[in-house]
Amino acid sequence: RGSTIIEIPQTVEDVRRLVAEINRDVGHLYDDMDRLGKRLAAIHDTGLWREMGYATWESFIAGEIKLSRQHVHRQLSHQRFLALLPGPATSGSDTDVTQWVTPTERQTRDVRSDPVKVARVRRSVAQGIPLAEAVRRALPPKATSRTKDPATLEACEHEPVTVVVCKNCGKRLE
């Protein structure tokens, strides 16, 4: 890759313009990844890769695609998930960088392997909920702590409490 000259912002307006360019570039990156997944699925589904002399899909990936086998399979799984959804797999707004038009492979990874979560997303999308929001709702809330509840071994979200202690000895006061 060639080097890229990056402008150093001199004013707040320069920063705003660079942020707008970054957000545009990120949008293109997600569009490119979606297009990549769709192309891989189309190649896989036609089976024409066999006519190129490959006995297996894995040998085709190794010989022709400059991505890891795992990445290709994740992209295919993502496209299969999107194909299961009712209506067009689009939602959100081009200006809203928190909800991409099509969720990324990573955003759907924890949903598409669970039939219950897939069904939940399908129902939500059928009810008109934007796809990115439906995927987010299908996932459990992220824990704010890495501590696990010893009874359930589930991540525990600690709730703050006020504890009164003696400032002299440190003894907890009830």
Side-chain angles (χ1 to χ4, degrees), residues 2 4 16 21 33 39 48 56 61 64 68 81 84 91 93 102-103 136 140 151 153 157 160 169 171:
T4 302
R16 286 189 178 114
E21 290 174 8
M33 290 307 292
R39 287 177 176 162
L48 290 173
T56 66
I61 294 168
E64 301 289 334
S68 71
F81 169 75
L84 291 174
S91 66
S93 158
T102 302
R136 189 189 64 73
L153 296 179
E157 288 192 41
C169 69
K171 181 179 176 183

Side-chain angles (χ1 to χ4, degrees), residues 163-173:
V163 177
V164 180
V165 294
C166 174
K167 71 177 185 178
N168 296 326
C169 69
K171 181 179 176 183
R172 183 176 176 164
L173 305 173

Side-chain angles (χ1 to χ4, degrees), residues 3-164:
S3 64
T4 302
I5 297 172
I6 302 298
E7 167 192 351
I8 305 298
Q10 303 295 316
T11 66
V12 171
E13 289 77 25
D14 290 343
V15 171
R16 286 189 178 114
R17 184 177 39 74
L18 288 175
V19 167
E21 290 174 8
I22 288 167
N23 288 335
R24 184 199 65 229
D25 291 347
V26 169
H28 290 299
L29 191 126
Y30 283 100
D31 290 344
D32 291 345
M33 290 307 292
D34 186 52
R35 192 169 29 257
L36 166 84
K38 288 177 179 171
R39 287 177 176 162
L40 287 167
I43 291 168
H44 179 268
D45 293 350
T46 65
L48 290 173
W49 48 269
R50 288 185 187 96
E51 293 183 25
M52 296 173 67
Y54 293 99
T56 66
W57 175 245
E58 282 71 21
S59 62
F60 171 77
I61 294 168
E64 301 289 334
I65 307 294
K66 295 180 181 179
L67 294 169
S68 71
R69 180 183 59 80
Q70 294 86 354
H71 188 77
V72 169
H73 285 286
R74 284 193 306 259
Q75 289 294 329
L76 286 175
S77 174
H78 176 63
Q79 291 303 317
R80 301 286 183 262
F81 169 75
L82 294 177
L84 291 174
L85 301 175
T90 60
S91 66
S93 158
D94 289 340
T95 59
D96 181 3
V97 293
T98 62
Q99 285 193 11
W100 300 107
V101 172
T102 302
T104 65
E105 179 277 323
R106 179 66 193 107
Q107 290 167 323
T108 66
R109 191 179 300 167
D110 295 331
V111 171
R112 63 179 189 261
S113 61
D114 182 333
V116 173
K117 291 176 185 170
V118 170
R120 191 174 300 150
V121 171
R122 290 184 71 183
R123 277 193 307 274
S124 295
V125 170
Q127 294 169 356
I129 294 172
L131 177 54
E133 176 64 14
V135 168
R136 189 189 64 73
R137 288 182 184 183
L139 295 171
K142 291 188 178 187
T144 57
S145 169
R146 295 187 188 273
T147 305
K148 293 190 176 190
D149 179 343
T152 64
L153 296 179
E154 296 291 328
C156 178
E157 288 192 41
H158 298 296
E159 295 183 20
V161 295
T162 302
V163 177
V164 180

